[in-house]
Amino acid sequence: MSPIGGTVNLGVTVIRSRHSVRKYKDNPIEEKIIKDALDCARLAPTARNEQPWLFGTVQSRETLRAIADLAENARFIADAPICFVVFGKRDAKYYLEDCCAATMQLLLALQAWGVGTCWVAGEKKDYAEDVRKLLNVPEEYTLVSLVPAGYPEEIQIKTKKFLDEVTFFERYEEEE
């Protein structure tokens, strides 16, 4: 039974089970899972069907360490079996929204396969340009997100706000 009532929906179950994972087992991620996750990311909704993205994967231990050294709050990338990278075309009006939708679909696809992830910011970060250069991505793209992934060694579940704390219906009104 779902918390709201009714029958259980597989898609909703995947969404509700996703949590950020920062500690991974050494096991590699299978190629079919990597390709499936990338395929799900490319199918994300996009304004005007522009698809202003470029997706990459990094599995080289040396390159993972280099990215981790650049991303000051994500040193754990060095220990992930893989890191997905999402870049957006700078001149596309809605690249950020589009690439964020693609990142979320990537996270959910990996979750459906039992692979843990953590969304690491790229947009507006000082290291975005350095990561782009490190990966030899053309200048027309900018880093939107880094997604280290692996089979969870440890999951720390953080408490989320309750639904009634973050929603309103029709019009927002302050409670007294």
Side-chain angles (χ1 to χ4, degrees):
M1 190 70 110
S2 73
I4 306 274
T7 59
V8 175
N9 175 292
L10 182 58
V12 172
T13 299
V14 169
I15 291 168
R16 287 195 173 121
S17 67
R18 201 216 69 80
H19 296 280
S20 293
V21 175
R22 292 175 178 84
K23 292 190 178 183
Y24 311 100
K25 295 178 181 175
D26 287 334
N27 311 31
I29 307 303
E30 294 85 351
E31 189 70 24
K32 72 176 183 178
I33 294 174
I34 294 168
K35 287 186 175 177
D36 187 57
L38 290 167
D39 195 42
C40 288
R42 80 165 178 91
L43 294 171
T46 171
R48 300 184 214 138
N49 197 28
E50 200 164 345
Q51 304 172 61
W53 42 54
L54 179 64
F55 306 107
T57 63
V58 176
Q59 295 180 70
S60 153
R61 195 59 47 211
E62 181 182 329
T63 309
L64 288 167
R65 275 193 289 273
I67 292 171
D69 288 344
L70 292 169
E72 68 274 356
N73 292 321
R75 303 285 187 225
F76 59 94
I77 290 173
D79 300 319
I82 190 169
C83 184
F84 294 83
V85 292
V86 180
F87 288 87
K89 245 184 198 175
R90 296 176 197 268
D91 66 352
K93 185 172 184 178
Y94 299 107
Y95 80 86
L96 183 58
E97 293 86 345
D98 292 348
C99 290
C100 285
T103 300
M104 195 67 233
Q105 287 202 187
L106 177 69
L107 269 64
L108 293 174
L110 290 164
Q111 179 67 28
W113 282 102
V115 176
T117 59
C118 184
W119 186 329
V120 176
E123 173 75 5
K124 300 180 188 114
K125 298 300 276 182
D126 291 339
Y127 55 78
E129 185 63 9
D130 292 332
V131 171
R132 183 193 66 75
K133 288 177 182 174
L134 174 71
L135 301 179
N136 199 36
V137 172
E139 274 187 59
E140 67 189 282
Y141 292 94
T142 185
L143 180 67
V144 173
S145 55
L146 299 165
V147 180
Y151 295 104
E153 182 177 293
E154 175 183 295
I155 300 173
Q156 295 182 351
I157 298 174
K158 304 287 184 183
T159 304
K160 298 286 186 173
K161 293 179 181 180
F162 290 102
L163 184 62
D164 63 356
E165 294 178 274
V166 296
T167 57
F168 71 92
F169 298 93
E170 301 301 328
R171 290 181 45 135
Y172 179 83
E173 295 185 26
E174 291 283 338
E175 290 189 29
E176 297 184 28

